[in-house]
C-alpha cells in the first residue's frame, strides 16, 4: 500500500474498522507520520463524544451490510496540492460510504450516534481549549519561580495554591472537597487588597481538582472560594468557605 493510500485510513483506524494486515501496516506508518497521528487523536475524541450523543437502535443487518458494501468502493488518495485523481486511489476520504462506516462502527458499540457537523466542531474546539489550558497549567506548576502555599479548608479538605510571578498566573489544587449544594458551584476569587475579582469556577463533580485561575495575578495577595449559583456570580453572594494567602517570595 502506498503512503498516499495510508493517509486515507485515519478514520477507519480510529473506528477499529481496518483488517488486521492493514491495521499493522497503518500503525507502522503512524509511528512516523505526526499529521496522521494528530488526525487519529481528533477522530477518536470525536467518536467518543458522538457515542454519548442521542442514539437509536440500528437494524441488526446494518453493520454487516455497510462493511460488505464499503469493500467494493475505493477511496481517492488526498491530492496534497496536486490536481486530478491519483491512479488506483480511493474515493473521497469522507465519502458517503466512509460516513456509513462510522455509523456502523458506532452501532457495534450499542447505537447509531447522531452525526452533526456542529457537534464535531464543538468537540474539536473543546479539546483544543482543554489542551491549551493544560499547557498553561503545566507552565505555572513548572515555572522556576513557582511558589506554593497550602492549608486546611472547610470540612477537612485541603488546598494548595501555586503562584508564578513570571507567568503572572496561579493554580489552585483541591483535595477532598465536598460537593457544593444542588444547583450551586464553587467560585474562586482573587483578593485584590480586599476587592474580590472572579478567577473562575471549580468542577462541581470533582472532589479533587486542579484549576488554572482565570486571569492574571497582578496585585492579588490571596484568593477565596464562595458558593454561588450555577454559572457563577459577578461578585461574591455568600461568606467564603476558604481564604488563602498567596505565597511570598
Amino acid at each position: 500500500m502506498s503512503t498516499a493510500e495510508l493517509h486515507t485510513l485515519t478514520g477507519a483506524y480510529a473506528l477499529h474498522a481496518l483488517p488486521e494486515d492493514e491495521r499493522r501496516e497503518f500503525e507502522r506508518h503512524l509511528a512516523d507520520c505526526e499529521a496522521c497521528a494528530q488526525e487519529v487523536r481528533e477522530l477518536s475524541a470525536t467518536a467518543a463524544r458522538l457515542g454519548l450523543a442521542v442514539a437509536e437502535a440500528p437494524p441488526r443487518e446494518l453493520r454487516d451490510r455497510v462493511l460488505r458494501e464499503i469493500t467494493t468502493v475505493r477511496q481517492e488518495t488526498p491530492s496534497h496540492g496536486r490536481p486530478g485523481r491519483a491512479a488506483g486511489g480511493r474515493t473521497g476520504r469522507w465519502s458517503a460510504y466512509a460516513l456509513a462506516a462510522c455509523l456502523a462502527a458506532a452501532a457495534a458499540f450499542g447505537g447509531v450516534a447522531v452525526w452533526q457537523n456542529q457537534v464535531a466542531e464543538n468537540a474539536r474546539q473543546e479539546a483544543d481549549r482543554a489542551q491549551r489550558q493544560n499547557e498553561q497549567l503545566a507552565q505555572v506548576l513548572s515555572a522556576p519561580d513557582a511558589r506554593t502555599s497550602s492549608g486546611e479548608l472547610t470540612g477537612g479538605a485541603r488546598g494548595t495554591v501555586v503562584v508564578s510571578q513570571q507567568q503572572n498566573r496561579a493554580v489552585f489544587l483541591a483535595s477532598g472537597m465536598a460537593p457544593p449544594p444542588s444547583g450551586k458551584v464553587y467560585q474562586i476569587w482573587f483578593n485584590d487588597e480586599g476587592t474580590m475579582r472572579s478567577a473562575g469556577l471549580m468542577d462541581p463533580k470533582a472532589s479533587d481538582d486542579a484549576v488554572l485561575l482565570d486571569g492574571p495575578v497582578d496585585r492579588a495577595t490571596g484568593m477565596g472560594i464562595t458558593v454561588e449559583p450555577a454559572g457563577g456570580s459577578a461578585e461574591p453572594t455568600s461568606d467564603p468557605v476558604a481564604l488563602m494567602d498567596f505565597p511570598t517570595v
Side-chain angles (χ1 to χ4, degrees):
M1 186 179 299
S2 69
T3 299
E5 288 180 312
L6 286 168
H7 284 306
T8 69
L9 300 181
T10 53
Y13 178 79
L15 294 169
H16 310 286
L18 289 177
E20 183 64 21
D21 57 339
E22 289 190 14
R23 181 188 64 80
R24 289 195 299 267
E25 185 175 0
F26 181 75
E27 286 180 345
R28 289 193 293 270
H29 164 75
L30 199 62
D32 298 321
C33 181
E34 178 56 31
C36 283
Q38 176 65 26
E39 188 166 344
V40 166
R41 289 192 292 267
E42 292 173 352
L43 291 173
S44 297
T46 300
R49 175 73 176 267
L50 290 171
L52 299 177
V54 178
E56 60 182 37
R60 289 186 176 182
E61 70 277 7
L62 174 63
R63 181 178 184 276
D64 292 338
R65 176 169 57 83
V66 172
L67 292 179
R68 181 175 63 254
E69 291 180 359
I70 198 172
T71 61
T72 68
V73 180
R74 296 188 61 79
Q75 217 175 2
E76 184 179 37
T77 57
S79 64
H80 297 294
R82 297 190 301 273
R85 177 188 179 105
R90 300 172 187 262
T91 58
R93 177 180 294 182
W94 285 110
S95 65
Y97 282 103
L99 178 58
C102 294
L103 295 177
F109 287 94
V112 177
V114 177
W115 189 286
Q116 296 175 332
N117 288 337
Q118 188 60 52
V119 172
E121 181 61 24
N122 288 346
R124 176 173 297 187
Q125 291 177 358
E126 182 176 333
D128 289 344
R129 179 185 60 79
Q131 180 176 350
R132 288 194 300 271
Q133 183 168 335
N134 287 339
E135 289 173 352
Q136 292 172 340
L137 189 149
Q139 289 172 1
V140 174
L141 296 179
S142 62
D145 70 328
R147 299 291 183 269
T148 65
S149 177
S150 300
E152 297 294 330
L153 307 180
T154 302
R158 186 168 182 81
T160 298
V161 61
V162 183
V163 179
S164 168
Q165 295 298 334
Q166 291 180 3
Q167 299 286 332
N168 199 21
R169 301 300 295 270
V171 169
F172 176 65
L173 308 169
S175 176
M177 290 281 288
S182 178
K184 301 288 186 178
V185 67
Y186 289 123
Q187 186 164 356
I188 304 176
W189 307 87
F190 284 115
N191 183 358
D192 291 334
E193 300 178 349
T195 300
M196 307 306 281
R197 168 169 51 100
S198 179
L201 306 177
M202 297 182 64
D203 184 350
K205 298 179 181 179
S207 60
D208 299 334
D209 201 3
V211 183
L212 176 70
L213 272 60
D214 187 11
V217 173
D218 289 343
R219 294 182 299 174
T221 59
M223 55 161 283
I225 303 174
T226 60
V227 177
E228 302 295 336
S233 302
E235 59 184 25
T237 63
S238 66
D239 293 334
V241 298
L243 289 172
M244 295 185 66
D245 291 331
F246 284 165
T248 56
V249 178

